[in-house]
Structures are given as structure tokens and as C-alpha cells.
């Protein structure tokens, strides 16, 4: 059974950077993609980034080149490097590993407990 644990969140001033990590334990299904989504106080889930098994990444339109998703297959760790953070980026960030992630569908599959990102101006 898959278990995901996120880390790396925190409070940062606008324009700053954070790197989120997601430790994945268990066997990742061959049909799954890995990714990050976020959920703010309004409870709306928003896809942030996705990476396919091939390593090809995809991003939400709001990212605009500020974030980079990557993975270390040797350690089964997923990363999200975030730069030029804005107050609107404040949210709980979740790691997800599921075939639904490949379809840019978020939140109803396997995910971690989340890590909070707060950006202040």
C-alpha cells in the first residue's frame, strides 16, 4: 500500500522560494503519475504540477514558469521547487500518486497529509 509524506512547507516572504518533498513508500503502479495539488481556505483543489513515468512534466496555468517538479526514482522522492512565491500561492500542498493524476484529476486518490505553505507580503 502506498504511503506519502510531504515536507518542506513553511512561511516565506513574497518573492521567496521553497522546496517541497514527498517521500513515497510502497510500490508505485505502472499506470500512475505523480504530482502536487493544493487546497486553500476555500477548499477548492487546484492542480499544481504533474510528472509522468517518462519524466515529462505538466503545470497549472498559474505556475507561469515559477515551479519545477522533479523526482528521484532511486529514493522514490517527489519534489516541487517553488520560486517567486506570491501570497496567492498560500495553501496546503499535497502530494498525489494515482492514475487520476495523469488525467489532471486531484484529491480522490492516494495522497499525503499535506504541508502548509504561507506566503506573506
Amino acid at each position: 500500500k502506498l504511503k506519502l509524506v510531504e515536507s518542506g512547507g513553511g512561511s516565506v516572504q513574497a518573492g521567496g522560494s521553497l522546496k517541497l518533498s514527498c517521500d513515497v513508500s510502497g510500490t508505485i503502479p505502472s499506470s500512475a503519475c505523480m504530482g502536487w495539488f493544493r487546497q486553500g481556505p476555500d477548499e477548492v483543489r487546484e492542480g499544481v504540477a504533474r510528472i509522468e513515468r517518462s519524466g515529462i512534466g505538466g503545470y497549472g496555468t498559474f505556475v507561469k514558469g515559477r515551479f519545477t517538479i522533479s523526482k528521484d526514482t532511486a529514493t522514490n522522492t517527489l519534489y516541487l521547487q517553488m520560486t517567486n512565491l506570491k501570497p496567492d500561492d498560500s495553501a496546503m500542498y499535497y502530494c498525489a500518486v494515482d492514475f487520476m493524476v495523469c488525467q489532471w484529476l486531484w484529491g480522490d486518490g492516494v495522497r499525503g497529509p499535506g504541508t502548509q505553505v504561507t506566503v506573506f507580503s
Side-chain angles (χ1 to χ4, degrees), residues 50-63:
R50 174 196 70 204
I51 188 165
E52 299 174 8
R53 268 189 106 81
S54 62
I56 296 174
Y59 299 90
T61 54
F62 64 90
V63 170

Side-chain angles (χ1 to χ4, degrees), residues 108-119:
D108 292 326
V110 180
R111 67 176 186 180
T115 186
Q116 179 67 41
V117 171
T118 302
V119 185

Side-chain angles (χ1 to χ4, degrees), residues 19-42:
K19 186 172 184 177
L20 306 184
S21 299
C22 175
D23 292 323
V24 181
S25 57
T27 302
I28 299 173
S30 59
S31 60
C33 294
M34 305 173 74
W36 295 89
F37 71 97
R38 66 189 188 184
Q39 194 164 5
D42 57 5

Side-chain angles (χ1 to χ4, degrees), residues 3 15 17 60 68 71 81 92 109 116 121:
K3 181 180 177 183
S17 301
T68 303
K71 61 180 179 177
Q81 176 69 56
M92 185 71 82
Q116 179 67 41
S121 56

Side-chain angles (χ1 to χ4, degrees), residues 43-113:
E43 300 295 312
V44 174
R45 296 170 189 165
E46 186 173 38
V48 178
R50 174 196 70 204
I51 188 165
E52 299 174 8
R53 268 189 106 81
S54 62
I56 296 174
Y59 299 90
T61 54
F62 64 90
V63 170
K64 297 188 188 321
R66 299 180 297 130
F67 301 172
T68 303
I69 189 170
S70 61
K71 61 180 179 177
D72 184 334
T73 54
T75 61
N76 264 2
T77 305
L78 182 69
Y79 299 101
L80 184 69
Q81 176 69 56
M82 304 188 293
T83 62
N84 193 19
L85 283 161
K86 305 175 182 180
D88 283 349
D89 294 317
S90 297
M92 185 71 82
Y93 282 71
Y94 297 91
C95 168
V97 178
D98 200 275
F99 76 94
M100 290 189 290
V101 173
C102 304
Q103 307 301 320
W104 204 257
L105 296 173
W106 302 97
D108 292 326
V110 180
R111 67 176 186 180

